[in-house]
Amino acid sequence: VDWTVRPQSPVDPSQIRIENLVLEDGNLTLDDLGAGRRHEITDLNATISARTLTGPWRVNGSAAFDGEALSVSLTSGSVSDKGELPLAVTVTPVNRTFFVDGDGTAKSIEGKLSWAGGFTVRPSKLPDLGKPALNDSADAASLAGQKLSTWQANGRFALNNDKLDVPEIRLETGTRDNPYISNGKGMVLFGPQPMFDLALEGAQVTFSAGDVA
């Protein structure tokens, strides 16, 4: 399927507006001819709006991708004269404890779609700190938040139908006031024999209050 093919029409796409288009219980089958695999999108429910057919677009919905239930939010800008589309997507696996934000530019080169930009992955559910005592100060509450162990990853990505390239990754784990930081890169190949590679390096030096640099 060539996703870049557009039907010829005497109607100017910039004159067509979509308001509150609702999809319910939809199903899609995607054939990845390059990898020789078929993907199923089921239980598709979404609300779609667009100022014009060339953007901006807004989509909020949910679906199951190969059985994995997902919540998805998508916003875009308008297609530029160069055929580039600003695109931001948030994906939250329903049965997982994290979500992924991607914000970049989508475009088509020789009929192949690509999307590149920045990403963030962080927990969707933080541990409950409990209800603060009546005598707890705002500073104490802030300090408790700084000592809470958590994690997040961010970096740069480039996605096309062949692979996901992540040339920059920054992973922070531990407490917010003194996280352990790792940097690296990764790649996922989508071919007939899928594979991934991830390399991270990190170092942490902690000085006590009495140490002098």
Side-chain angles (χ1 to χ4, degrees), residues 115 158-166 187-191 195:
W115 179 38
L159 173 67
N160 58 38
N161 61 311
D162 296 322
K163 65 179 180 178
L164 169 62
D165 188 21
V166 187
M187 181 175 61
V188 180
L189 298 179
F190 304 139
M195 63 172 291

Side-chain angles (χ1 to χ4, degrees), residues 26-38:
N27 295 280
L28 290 174
T29 298
L30 303 178
D31 285 324
D32 186 345
L33 300 181
R37 290 194 301 273
R38 172 171 290 183

Side-chain angles (χ1 to χ4, degrees), residues 39-57:
H39 301 285
E40 300 289 345
I41 299 177
T42 58
D43 301 324
L44 176 59
N45 298 280
T47 301
I48 304 171
S49 61
R51 189 179 304 168
T52 72
L53 291 186
T54 58
W57 287 80

Side-chain angles (χ1 to χ4, degrees), residues 1-5 29-34 110-113 161:
V1 176
D2 187 350
W3 296 100
T4 63
V5 172
T29 298
L30 303 178
D31 285 324
D32 186 345
L33 300 181
E110 296 181 352
K112 294 184 178 181
L113 293 177
N161 61 311

Side-chain angles (χ1 to χ4, degrees), residues 81-192:
D81 294 338
K82 296 181 179 180
E84 298 179 344
L85 178 70
L87 179 63
V89 179
T90 299
V91 178
T92 304
V94 174
N95 298 315
R96 312 291 178 178
T97 58
F98 67 90
F99 68 93
V100 182
D101 277 329
D103 192 350
T105 301
K107 58 185 177 180
S108 174
I109 300 178
E110 296 181 352
K112 294 184 178 181
L113 293 177
S114 65
W115 179 38
F119 74 91
T120 300
V121 185
R122 56 169 64 101
S124 55
K125 298 178 181 178
L126 293 177
D128 188 2
L129 292 176
K131 185 176 181 180
L134 294 177
N135 59 350
D136 283 351
S137 66
D139 289 341
S142 176
L143 180 60
Q146 292 296 320
K147 295 299 182 181
L148 176 66
S149 182
T150 185
W151 63 272
Q152 79 167 24
N154 55 64
R156 308 292 298 174
F157 74 92
L159 173 67
N160 58 38
N161 61 311
D162 296 322
K163 65 179 180 178
L164 169 62
D165 188 21
V166 187
E168 298 177 16
I169 304 174
R170 176 185 171 94
L171 174 64
E172 299 181 13
T173 58
T175 59
R176 294 176 180 175
D177 63 338
N178 188 29
Y180 180 81
I181 300 174
S182 302
N183 294 283
K185 60 182 179 179
M187 181 175 61
V188 180
L189 298 179
F190 304 139

